[in-house]
Amino acid sequence: MQTHFLKPFLVLSLIVCFTTSPYCQYKMNDSTRHPYRVNYWVSGGIAVVGGVTNYLGIPSIINKQEISTTELNSLDKAAVGGFDRWVLNQDLTKEKADRYDKDALIVLSASVTLPAILAFDKYIGKDWSKMLVMYLETISIVSNVYGYSPLGPRFNDRFRPVTYYSNFPTIDRADGNNRNSFYSGHVASAAAASFFMAKVYSDYHPELGGKKYFLYAAATIPPILLGYFRLKGLRHFPSDALVGLGVGACVGILVPEIHRIKLKNKNLTVGLSSIEGSTGLSLKWKPASAIN
């Protein structure tokens, strides 16, 4: 999760929020082919606010206190669980690790732009604005789960594998960002994108039936490939990558699923609420009898 990826995301979020409105939604005559309802102001607001909080929060994570020489010297490979320990026994130089890290960034960039392919589907393309807002919302949420949830590095200090490699320059091992091994935000972002794509496509094509699970299987490929490069680049342990995959997959599936909920009889209203000192979402439900 690097800040230079967040700037274009934030700009794009602002454009979407202020150039779309609820009145330009595609009319859903066929709920099968147009399964989502999107409130542009709510979802766009989540995307924008999430982009801002993520942009502001990431520096405090990557600029953690430098790792001291005492901490580096006290690291013990034997204390690392067997599932993760193999990463510490690779025959790698700094140059090789850096190459793997660059490959990981290429895979990440490709993964997060992959859902754009959905626009070429004849059904999904008609709802492109919905898909864009939902996708920005998805990336915003998965980024903030990484940045602010108890699962992420804000509340966890786990040394990256590179810190255990005494043949690497001390300046590279001691970087404060090396306290952020758990969990992999890169893998989470890639998984959110690929599972979002699989979920949306299968929702628009219910005729796939059980074959949709092949899409979900294929959705694991980008985050697994990215995770492999992050492991070889000594940025993460396998457990870090697996948790990132799980978090990203959940967000990528759940955000579209929430938008699939049919608000029949208008008995559920979702909106933004603001009181002194706080801003958030409001949910209001009315029994069907109270609407008539």
Side-chain angles (χ1 to χ4, degrees), residues 42-61:
V42 173
S43 295
I46 292 172
V48 171
V49 172
V52 172
T53 56
N54 194 35
Y55 180 76
L56 295 176
I58 287 296
S60 63
I61 294 177

Side-chain angles (χ1 to χ4, degrees), residues 17 21 27 42 52 63 99 102 118 155 162 176 212 217 258:
C17 183
S21 73
K27 188 176 180 180
V42 173
V52 172
N63 295 320
R99 283 200 296 271
K102 290 178 181 178
L118 292 171
F155 298 95
V162 66
K212 68 181 180 181
I258 290 171

Side-chain angles (χ1 to χ4, degrees), residues 25-31 34-37 127 130:
Q25 297 183 35
Y26 187 86
K27 188 176 180 180
M28 294 190 296
N29 294 321
D30 182 352
S31 61
H34 306 284
Y36 301 120
R37 290 181 66 102
D127 291 339
K130 290 181 184 179

Side-chain angles (χ1 to χ4, degrees), residues 31-290:
S31 61
T32 299
R33 292 303 184 188
H34 306 284
Y36 301 120
R37 290 181 66 102
V38 176
N39 184 312
Y40 286 93
W41 296 111
V42 173
S43 295
I46 292 172
V48 171
V49 172
V52 172
T53 56
N54 194 35
Y55 180 76
L56 295 176
I58 287 296
S60 63
I61 294 177
I62 63 176
N63 295 320
K64 286 184 177 180
Q65 183 180 357
E66 187 175 278
I67 302 171
S68 67
T69 303
T70 301
E71 289 176 297
L72 291 175
N73 292 337
S74 66
L75 293 175
D76 182 9
K77 291 183 180 181
V80 178
F83 180 73
D84 289 328
R85 196 180 305 141
W86 70 267
V87 175
L88 305 179
N89 298 312
Q90 301 181 83
D91 182 19
L92 288 172
T93 63
K94 182 181 184 302
E95 290 71 24
K96 287 182 180 179
D98 287 345
R99 283 200 296 271
Y100 281 119
D101 209 26
K102 290 178 181 178
D103 291 338
L105 292 178
I106 293 173
V107 175
L108 175 63
S109 299
S111 297
V112 297
T113 56
L114 193 62
I117 297 175
L118 292 171
F120 294 98
D121 182 88
K122 64 179 180 179
Y123 300 114
I124 302 175
K126 294 176 181 178
D127 291 339
W128 69 269
S129 59
K130 290 181 184 179
M131 296 306 104
L132 180 58
V133 173
M134 281 201 307
Y135 182 59
L136 291 173
E137 183 181 14
T138 299
I139 294 300
S140 171
I141 291 172
V142 79
S143 298
N144 279 273
V145 170
Y146 172 81
Y148 293 99
S149 79
L151 282 174
R154 187 174 298 277
F155 298 95
N156 296 283
D157 276 355
R158 187 185 193 186
F159 294 127
R160 296 186 189 272
V162 66
T163 59
Y164 290 81
Y165 280 71
S166 57
N167 60 314
F168 279 46
T170 300
I171 190 173
D172 294 318
R173 299 170 63 209
D175 191 323
N177 189 28
N178 286 334
R179 297 181 184 271
N180 299 327
S181 188
F182 189 83
Y183 58 89
S184 176
H186 285 71
V187 172
S189 295
S194 60
F195 277 86
F196 175 91
M197 187 175 180
K199 169 65 174 170
V200 168
Y201 189 86
S202 60
D203 283 348
Y204 273 87
H205 294 275
E207 72 277 4
L208 288 173
K211 294 179 181 178
K212 68 181 180 181
Y213 295 109
F214 289 106
L215 289 178
Y216 288 109
T220 65
I221 295 175
I224 287 176
L225 180 60
L226 176 56
Y228 170 77
F229 285 136
R230 293 291 278 175
L231 266 58
K232 297 294 289 184
L234 303 180
R235 309 301 289 176
H236 291 291
F237 292 97
S239 57
D240 304 330
L242 286 176
V243 172
L245 192 158
V247 170
C250 287
V251 175
I253 292 172
L254 288 175
V255 171
E257 182 62 23
I258 290 171
H259 286 286
R260 266 188 91 186
I261 296 175
K262 305 299 186 297
L263 307 183
K264 294 181 179 179
N265 299 321
K266 299 182 180 179
N267 61 334
L268 181 62
T269 303
V270 183
L272 289 173
S273 64
S274 180
I275 59 177
E276 185 177 356
S278 66
T279 302
L281 294 177
S282 64
L283 295 174
K284 296 180 181 179
W285 180 80
K286 291 182 179 179
S289 59

